[in-house]
Amino acid sequence: MAVIGAWAAARRAGRTSPAEALREAAVDTGVLPRSRRVLGLALLAAGLGLLAWQLGTEPAELLKRKTYTTRPMLLITAVAALAPLLVRPLAGLVRLPGASGLLVRENARASVRRTSAVAAPVLVTVALAGCLLGSALTVAESGASEARDLTRARFVVTGEALRPVRVPGATVSGSASTAVFVREEGTALIRSEARAVTDVAAFASVARLPVVAGDVRDLDDRSIVVNEEWERHEVGSRVRVWLGDGRPARLRIAAVLARGTGNGGAYVTTANAPGAAVDRLDVGVRKGADPAAVKARLRASGTGGQVRTTEAWLAATHPRSGPQTRLGLLVVLGIALVHAVLSLSGTLLMATSARGTELRSLRLAGATRAQVLRVVAGESAVGVTVGAVLGVAVTAVCLGGLAVALGQLSAPVTAAVPWGLLGACAGVCLVVAVGASVAGAARLSRLDGPSTGRARGMSTSG
């Protein structure tokens, strides 16, 4: 990549005519070569087209980790490639007070290459933070909300080999974890997580399943409840499955559930899950009963498990995101942030070192040292702001597509934007950019040094 970048820069410099080399321009022109423009537009079309295609054909794919960690890369690269086209209009929206503010804005608009070089690493860092962490949090919170919506239970008892009990004032529904296997497309054997219920009437009373066809109360030992993800999901039709113990069975579809986030699974009776021990009791409190008394009776009844409120059980079993997932995404983000820090400091130190004449001209025009440093710092801050705005825009597109996918799957839409993390990334970039530019300007020419003083004296005597 280093050789390719050097070759591209050398090739572009070699195509500059002598007249163009002798001409000095205050405003950057031709900042986006045709090849970069075509590449950026192609990547943008590919990113948006892929998002639209997945929404139209397979929205569940957008909820998978491999998808929401790779698909945003197309949009991030596209916007970074097209940044020089977007910098000038965005910088023009900045309104700062005083003559220094006007100078900051116009310098940022005129020096498109420098502003784009500052905005690009900020864009990548903010967009990665928003898309990766935001997507993971959105999927996790949607799954937790979906699990909360699936039950009317007031308490949940969990453990191994639980004993379903009768509790006055409560409806107790026991279920066991199992699995069923179904052959789809003639060859693929698909495993589907399932729950085996002990009492269908009690289960229907405490559950709040997203039924789109059929009735859960029709579930019996010769039927099954499936979701729309199954290849065959017509109520009344029979589907050939293999039960958790490997026995084949031909079961009638009693009800079909909405697809959701994919955590719903199937439901059978305990007759179709031999050997599966009851590991969960969902307890609903009947009208007029005292919840505290019901909880006390549950603990005294000897169920053999841990009694928790539904909210406590959900918090323990459906966290915001897994620790390993969060750690992996933070490692990726940390690498991007280190790259942004190195890129910003190197770019601004080199760019400021080439602005000696410009900064001395400001001093000769009457600007104080502090005003010149404020202008330099303001230009860097504008570049960081533009990059952060572009990063937030990419994040909005990614999370917006994810929210549409959740809506199509009849899952709760709970978009989670990690604003604190986005602000922290932008803040680190801002501190580094301003610090590097101000350090370079202060070191550049000793703005109050002898050369500037001699120039001012010559101008006065003339």
Side-chain angles (χ1 to χ4, degrees):
M1 294 302 296
V3 172
I4 293 175
W7 174 82
R11 181 174 180 272
R12 184 174 181 183
R15 296 174 60 185
T16 304
S17 64
E20 290 175 332
L22 293 174
R23 183 178 62 210
E24 182 177 357
V27 180
D28 288 342
T29 58
V31 294
L32 194 64
R34 182 177 301 174
S35 58
R36 181 172 174 176
R37 187 192 304 261
V38 171
L39 178 63
L41 291 175
L43 289 173
L44 182 62
L48 295 177
L50 181 61
L51 176 61
W53 177 74
Q54 288 179 325
L55 286 175
T57 59
E58 195 66 25
E61 288 293 322
L62 294 174
L63 275 60
K64 295 181 179 179
R65 189 181 308 161
K66 289 184 179 179
T67 302
Y68 67 67
T69 55
T70 56
R71 182 180 49 80
M73 303 304 176
L74 285 174
L75 293 176
I76 294 173
T77 307
V79 176
L82 298 174
L85 283 181
L86 306 172
V87 160
R88 190 165 286 163
L90 288 177
L93 298 177
V94 176
R95 292 292 183 268
L96 297 174
S100 297
L102 177 62
L103 190 60
V104 166
R105 185 185 70 205
E106 296 306 319
N107 280 351
R109 294 185 62 200
S111 303
V112 174
R113 289 189 180 90
R114 184 173 64 240
T115 308
S116 299
V118 174
V122 181
L123 155 67
V124 172
T125 305
V126 172
L128 281 177
C131 293
L132 299 188
L133 272 300
S135 296
L137 290 175
T138 296
V139 172
E141 291 191 4
S142 180
S145 298
E146 184 180 54
R148 188 178 299 108
D149 294 341
L150 291 179
T151 181
R152 296 188 182 95
R154 187 69 174 267
F155 303 102
V156 176
V157 184
T158 55
E160 296 181 0
L162 299 177
R163 295 184 299 275
V165 295
R166 292 183 178 275
V167 177
T171 301
V172 180
S173 171
S175 63
S177 177
T178 185
V180 294
F181 300 83
V182 61
R183 180 175 293 158
E184 295 187 357
E185 298 179 355
T187 56
L189 191 64
I190 307 299
R191 173 189 170 95
S192 177
E193 300 294 332
R195 301 293 303 178
V197 300
T198 58
D199 186 336
V200 175
F203 171 71
S205 175
V206 299
R208 192 191 293 117
L209 301 181
V211 178
V212 296
D215 194 331
V216 175
R217 291 171 294 184
D218 293 337
L219 178 65
D220 55 30
D221 295 345
R222 296 179 298 276
S223 62
I224 185 174
V225 175
V226 303
N227 59 36
E228 292 177 315
E229 190 174 6
W230 284 48
E231 183 181 34
R232 190 169 187 178
H233 53 268
E234 298 82 17
V235 174
S237 62
R238 294 189 174 273
V239 59
R240 182 176 176 82
V241 299
W242 285 262
L243 304 176
D245 60 355
R247 290 187 298 114
R250 192 171 181 82
L251 302 177
R252 176 180 55 85
I253 296 178
V256 179
L257 309 179
R259 195 170 198 175
T261 60
N263 296 323
Y267 294 89
V268 295
T269 61
T270 50
N272 290 312
V278 175
D279 58 6
R280 194 174 92 200
L281 301 177
D282 295 288
V283 183
V285 179
R286 294 174 184 169
K287 187 176 182 180
D290 182 13
V294 170
K295 186 176 183 179
R297 294 187 190 113
L298 276 173
R299 288 178 170 170
S301 62
T303 58
Q306 181 182 9
V307 181
R308 288 177 288 187
T309 62
T310 303
E311 291 74 17
W313 171 72
L314 287 170
T317 57
H318 294 80
R320 286 172 59 90
S321 62
Q324 292 182 343
T325 300
R326 189 163 53 247
L327 178 60
L329 295 178
L330 288 176
V331 167
V332 174
L333 181 59
I335 295 173
L337 187 58
V338 170
H339 169 267
V341 168
L342 295 176
S343 177
L344 286 170
S345 57
T347 297
L348 287 170
L349 285 173
M350 289 188 295
T352 307
S353 66
R355 301 180 64 186
T357 303
E358 176 188 348
L359 299 182
R360 291 189 187 97
S361 299
L362 284 177
R363 290 302 309 275
L364 293 175
T368 65
R369 175 188 174 92
Q371 287 175 327
V372 173
L373 293 179
R374 280 201 299 269
V375 168
V376 173
E379 293 174 15
S380 300
V382 169
V384 172
T385 302
V386 169
V389 169
L390 293 176
V392 171
V394 174
T395 300
V397 173
C398 292
L399 296 187
L402 193 59
V404 173
L406 288 170
Q408 290 181 341
L409 295 171
S410 301
V413 180
T414 55
V417 183
W419 290 114
L421 186 61
L422 297 186
C425 291
V428 171
C429 292
L430 178 63
V431 170
V432 172
V434 171
S437 60
V438 170
R443 187 189 61 181
L444 180 64
S445 59
R446 311 270 193 253
L447 294 177
D448 287 325
S451 61
T452 307
R454 287 195 300 270
R456 186 181 296 112
M458 292 172 61
S459 175
T460 303
S461 61

